[in-house]
Amino acid sequence: QQPVQSPQAVILREGEDAVINCSSSKALYSVHWYRQKHGEAPVFLMILLKGGEQKGHDKISASFNEKKQQSSLYLTASQLSYSGTYFCGTGRNRDDKIIFGKGTRLHILP
Amino acid sequence: EPEVTQTPSHQVTQMGQEVILRCVPISNHLYFYWYRQILGQKVEFLVSFYNNEISEKSEIFDDQFSVERPDGSNFTLKIRSTKLEDSAMYFCASSGTSGGPYEQYFGPGTRLTVT
């Protein structure tokens, strides 16, 4: 069963913050976040494990609430380069396939 | 930085023809995957491959599809008799050296157009 992402789309001005949420009805081992620009492959951002960890690099971070089976991706002080579609994906164990959500389209305006 | 490569980047074929999509995963990875993405839609899992055999496949991956790792480097997806609805972007991904969990790195994709 695919994870549910919200919102479906976000439009921001450069410098604003965004939060993208991902939830699953099933117990998760891992949550994967990818960004995809039009016509390109998904690019790996980060993976979070059960245990409720939080990860981040640069101005993009994410959390994973295992009890709620939810993950959130935080983009702070957004840059034009952050535009794209963000997909969360979930896995049941460490080498499991990724089941992707439908994506959240993020558009950053100058 | 090592990366997954895929060939061709774009293939146009007629309905009913066989196509083979090729991938070279990252060299020391152990797990291989094929995903597809119909234009404007989400990425969908097709099949995973480990230790020279399919470990899991989706309902999309019917008898028309097959995968092979013919040598130590290539990983191929064959579609025996293409249908119009097979038109999509096909991504290969690889992951896993030791330990875990494994980040999956995607190749640039092959755009398959069936006419």
Side-chain angles (χ1 to χ4, degrees), chain A residues 2 34 36 49 95 97, chain B residues 33 37 42 56 101 103-104:
Chain A
Q2 71 180 30
Y34 287 79
Q36 184 179 35
L49 310 177
D95 56 357
K97 64 183 182 294
Chain B
Y33 310 82
Q37 186 177 34
K42 67 184 174 83
E56 190 169 1
E103 300 111 25
Q104 291 185 25

Side-chain angles (χ1 to χ4, degrees), chain A residues 2-19:
Chain A
Q2 71 180 30
V4 177
Q5 288 186 238
S6 62
Q8 287 185 311
V10 184
I11 300 175
L12 296 175
R13 292 213 172 270
E14 205 173 359
E16 293 180 338
D17 301 342
V19 180

Side-chain angles (χ1 to χ4, degrees), chain A residues 34, chain B residues 3-5 23-35 49 69 75 91-97 102-107:
Chain A
Y34 287 79
Chain B
E3 57 184 21
V4 178
T5 59
C23 168
V24 179
I26 293 172
S27 64
N28 57 351
H29 279 184
L30 303 172
Y31 299 89
F32 313 112
Y33 310 82
W34 282 101
Y35 293 85
F49 194 85
R69 189 154 160 81
F75 180 49
F91 293 107
C92 170
S94 71
S95 71
T97 50
Y102 305 137
E103 300 111 25
Q104 291 185 25
Y105 292 94
F106 281 66

Side-chain angles (χ1 to χ4, degrees), chain B residues 71-108:
Chain B
D71 52 44
S73 60
N74 289 286
F75 180 49
T76 62
L77 175 70
K78 183 194 289 186
I79 310 174
R80 260 181 277 282
S81 178
T82 50
K83 303 176 202 142
L84 293 175
E85 54 265 36
D86 293 328
S87 294
M89 197 77 166
Y90 288 80
F91 293 107
C92 170
S94 71
S95 71
T97 50
S98 61
Y102 305 137
E103 300 111 25
Q104 291 185 25
Y105 292 94
F106 281 66

Side-chain angles (χ1 to χ4, degrees), chain A residues 5-102:
Chain A
Q5 288 186 238
S6 62
Q8 287 185 311
V10 184
I11 300 175
L12 296 175
R13 292 213 172 270
E14 205 173 359
E16 293 180 338
D17 301 342
V19 180
I20 299 171
N21 299 303
C22 175
S23 63
S24 173
S25 58
K26 296 196 170 183
L28 301 172
Y29 175 84
S30 59
V31 177
H32 310 244
W33 285 98
Y34 287 79
R35 176 172 59 214
Q36 184 179 35
K37 294 192 181 278
H38 183 69
E40 299 181 9
V43 172
F44 172 78
L45 293 176
M46 63 190 76
I47 183 172
L48 302 103
L49 310 177
K50 74 174 187 178
E53 68 171 18
Q54 197 152 350
K55 271 198 174 183
H57 54 83
D58 200 12
K59 292 175 182 166
I60 300 176
S61 61
S63 62
F64 180 18
N65 186 321
E66 182 188 344
K67 285 184 182 176
K68 293 185 178 180
Q69 288 153 201
Q70 290 176 349
S71 178
S72 294
L73 185 73
Y74 307 95
L75 301 105
T76 56
S78 56
Q79 305 166 14
L80 293 175
S81 60
Y82 288 2
S83 290
T85 300
Y86 288 78
F87 290 98
C88 80
T90 55
R92 299 163 302 179
N93 51 59
R94 65 179 190 179
D95 56 357
D96 194 21
K97 64 183 182 294
I98 300 173
I99 301 296
F100 286 96
K102 292 186 177 180

